[in-house]
Amino acid sequence: HCLLKGGILVSVMSSGSFFRTTKTELNFQQWVRGIGGQVKEIPKKAFLKSDVATGVETKLLVLRKN
């Protein structure tokens, strides 16, 4: 409800929401698939060379409102 028609939301997220199998994560995965969301891999260790380095595995989530 927060995106206008044609709007795009892009988020870098921890990979946990896509491999965990709790009810919350499974509902989230189903919701993303149901609205046609795209989940893209970000290379491992992509953020090791940043000012605040982290080795957390991440994914890129893209949601579009038609």
Side-chain angles (χ1 to χ4, degrees):
H1 302 298
C2 294
L3 285 178
L4 294 175
K5 187 174 182 175
I8 301 172
L9 181 138
V10 179
S11 177
V12 175
M13 300 181 57
S14 164
S15 293
S17 296
F18 301 97
F19 69 76
R20 291 190 190 114
T21 57
T22 69
K23 183 178 180 179
T24 299
E25 278 85 9
L26 292 174
N27 286 340
F28 177 73
Q29 294 163 23
Q30 182 179 9
W31 176 76
V32 169
R33 284 191 304 271
I35 63 169
Q38 295 176 307
V39 179
K40 301 183 182 216
E41 298 289 328
I42 294 177
K44 293 181 181 180
K45 302 180 182 178
F47 298 102
L48 285 180
K49 294 182 181 179
S50 66
D51 291 339
V52 184
T54 180
V56 173
E57 291 186 26
T58 55
K59 294 196 184 284
L60 188 71
L61 175 65
V62 181
L63 304 176
R64 300 175 198 279
K65 186 164 186 179
N66 298 325

